[in-house]
């Protein structure tokens, strides 16, 4: 078996499989913000998918198993821009290069398949792993505030 990461359209079945093993990463919360607990339910997944129906929603797959998700949010067709968001399922798939591989595929997908010219992303300042991946993939820091780093990558 090979560790091939690929992207595919997020479906209800894939989302349910992804979220059944999902755990909240404390690094995505702001300092002092209460860390909520995640409890799986089919109804929660369905509501989540409905909330992002206007986004381009992709699953990150590893050997036919969903290990993460990619969202292209706030798609601006006139300016050929979108905000990129990535989440990995849990610690068992983090720190192995899967996020970097998926992010590279997502940038290529946004530029080549969606016809975008610029992608934006942000990360909470206390999430160094996300910051490192964004910079490794080629995003450049364009702004920051007390809580977030803001990035962009252009075609």
């Amino acid at each position: 078996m090979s560790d091939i990461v690929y992207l595919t359209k997020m479906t209800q079945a894939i989302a349910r499989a992804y979220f059944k093993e999902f755990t909240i990463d404390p690094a995505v919360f702001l300092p002092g913000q209460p860390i909520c607990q995640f409890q799986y339910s089919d109804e929660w997944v369905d509501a989540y998918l409905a909330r992002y129906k206007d986004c381009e929603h992709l699953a990150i797959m590893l050997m036919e198993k969903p290990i993460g998700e990619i969202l292209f949010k706030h798609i601006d067709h006139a300016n050929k821009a979108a905000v990129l968001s990535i989440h990995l399922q849990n610690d068992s798939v983090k720190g192995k290069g899967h996020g970097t591989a998926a992010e590279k595929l997502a940038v290529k997908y946004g530029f080549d398949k969606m016809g975008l010219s610029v992608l934006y992303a942000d990360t909470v300042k206390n999430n160094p792993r996300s910051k490192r991946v964004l910079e490794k993939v080629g995003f450049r820091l364009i702004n920051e505030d007390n809580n977030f780093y803001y990035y962009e990558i252009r075609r």
Side-chain angles (χ1 to χ4, degrees):
M1 289 190 279
S2 65
D3 282 358
I4 306 250
V5 171
Y6 65 95
L7 305 179
T8 191
K9 292 283 187 187
M10 183 64 82
T11 65
Q12 182 187 57
I14 291 172
R16 286 179 175 184
Y18 165 64
F19 280 110
K20 280 184 180 167
E21 295 184 38
F22 181 81
T23 57
I24 299 265
D25 185 346
V28 303
F29 291 88
L30 297 172
Q33 183 181 19
I35 298 171
C36 61
Q37 297 301 313
F38 175 76
Q39 187 168 345
Y40 177 86
S41 75
D42 288 347
E43 295 77 20
W44 184 91
V45 172
D46 294 347
Y48 179 81
L49 291 172
R51 187 168 62 239
Y52 289 109
K53 69 178 184 280
D54 294 334
C55 299
E56 186 74 15
H57 197 172
L58 304 174
I60 303 166
M61 305 294 288
L62 176 67
M63 297 184 292
E64 305 302 318
K65 180 181 184 288
I67 63 162
E69 67 177 327
I70 298 278
L71 287 158
F72 291 89
K73 305 182 286 188
H74 311 294
I75 300 169
D76 179 346
H77 295 286
N79 292 305
K80 297 183 177 183
V83 175
L84 181 65
S85 178
I86 180 174
H87 303 104
L88 292 180
Q89 188 175 47
N90 56 48
D91 286 344
S92 74
V93 296
K94 294 178 182 175
K96 298 178 179 181
H98 303 320
T100 301
E103 195 122 5
K104 286 178 182 176
L105 290 171
V107 169
K108 183 171 176 40
Y109 182 93
F111 290 158
D112 295 348
K113 300 268 193 228
M114 296 177 67
L116 301 173
S117 297
V118 62
L119 289 168
Y120 298 100
D122 59 62
T123 186
V124 176
K125 281 191 167 180
N126 66 328
N127 190 348
R129 189 181 288 163
S130 179
K131 181 180 187 301
R132 200 168 35 254
V133 169
L134 286 167
E135 292 172 354
K136 192 186 307 185
V137 169
F139 279 82
R140 69 177 187 84
L141 183 67
I142 57 170
N143 200 2
E144 67 180 277
D145 59 26
N146 290 337
N147 298 311
F148 291 92
Y149 293 114
Y150 301 92
Y151 289 89
E152 76 172 10
I153 189 168
R154 293 186 174 271
R155 177 171 210 131

